[in-house]
Every structure is written in C-alpha cells, then in structure tokens.
Amino acid sequence: MDDPPEEAGPEGDAAADADASPPAEPPDGWTLWNDEPRGRRILVFRPDVFNEREGLPAACLPTILISNRSRAPRPGASRVRTATWHVVLTLEPEVEAVAESYDSRAAAIEGAHDLARRFAAGAVDYREAYQVPREAYFERLDAVIDGDGDEP
C-alpha cells in the first residue's frame, strides 16, 4: 500500500479547501490555542486555572490535539502526514485519556468539539488514563469541571 504524500500541494483539492474553512469556536471552558490552516489545531481547557497557585500544575493542562500526522512510535513519524485525522485528549505530556480517528479535518474538529463538551460536562473518565492515581489532583480537577473550582 502506498503511503500518502508527506506534504499537501499548494493547489489542494475541494475536500482540502472545505477543511480549511474557519471552524466554529470551541465549546465553553475551552480556548483555541493554535489553528494552522489545513493543519493541526489545539484546544486547551481552562488555562486560567492551570498554575501552581490554583493547585493544578500547568503541565497538566487538558489539551485536545487535532492532527493528521502519524502517531507511529518511531523517530520522525510525527512529521509524516496521513489520510487519517486524529483527535487526542491529553492530561499531561505522557497521559492520553482519549484518542479518536476521523476521515477529514472538518469531521475531526466536530469530533474534538464533542469531546471537549463531554470533558467539560464530566463525561470523560480521565482517571482511567493514569497508572498511578493522583487523588488530590483529581479532586481539584473535578472541582474545576463541576464549576466549583474557579477560585482556589
């Protein structure tokens, strides 16, 4: 099977152009951190409360990455574009809570917004992603998700 081209050409096609249209704003509680035209998109949850003062380390900022880069665990793989778009919710650099796949960037953005709403509503069991429980952190994150954690 042939690999997809590493880089999309400047001319694009109708599907690529459709995926390049400006998407809707992220759901409540989420901030658009980065949005590359026809490329990856990053959403973050409540960056205003993820700092040491609030008891939620910045390294634990819930992040949703939308990308069509390879997820293969080999050096350089993340530079290779694929035909599949991935939506990945991470809670820390090495802690993935959810990973989903889509056929287009537009569908991935829609899926990411759905995942963001589910997370903000408390419908994502992020505790399962941890091998070593962090109860104090979980309690603080629960408070932010439930809306009780806006203040320290």
Side-chain angles (χ1 to χ4, degrees):
M1 177 161 78
D2 292 333
D3 289 333
E6 286 193 22
E7 297 297 327
E11 65 281 351
D13 60 20
D17 290 342
D19 283 348
S21 64
E25 290 298 310
D28 288 343
W30 289 85
T31 300
L32 179 61
W33 202 260
N34 186 39
D35 190 20
E36 299 171 3
R38 294 188 211 77
R40 68 184 186 160
R41 180 176 169 95
I42 300 171
L43 307 175
V44 295
F45 182 70
R46 296 290 312 269
D48 58 314
V49 297
F50 279 84
N51 56 60
E52 297 302 325
R53 188 183 82 243
E54 299 286 343
L56 292 167
C60 296
L61 178 66
T63 303
I64 295 176
L65 172 65
I66 303 161
S67 174
N68 67 333
R69 301 297 177 122
S70 173
R71 291 181 36 87
R74 63 179 185 269
S78 65
R79 293 191 305 255
V80 177
R81 293 181 189 262
T82 69
T84 302
W85 285 84
H86 307 282
V87 172
V88 180
L89 169 63
T90 56
L91 302 172
E92 295 183 31
E94 299 297 323
V95 179
E96 283 187 9
V98 177
E100 301 171 341
S101 298
Y102 297 89
D103 292 332
S104 70
R105 184 175 191 263
I109 290 171
E110 186 176 315
H113 286 197
D114 178 62
L115 175 58
R117 282 187 288 276
R118 287 184 284 142
F119 181 86
V124 172
D125 184 7
Y126 52 82
R127 285 171 171 80
E128 288 297 314
Y130 284 84
Q131 292 180 6
V132 178
R134 299 179 56 191
E135 291 306 322
Y137 168 70
F138 293 156
E139 288 174 18
R140 182 68 184 110
L141 183 55
D142 286 343
V144 170
I145 290 172
D146 292 340
D148 302 330
D150 292 337
E151 298 180 4

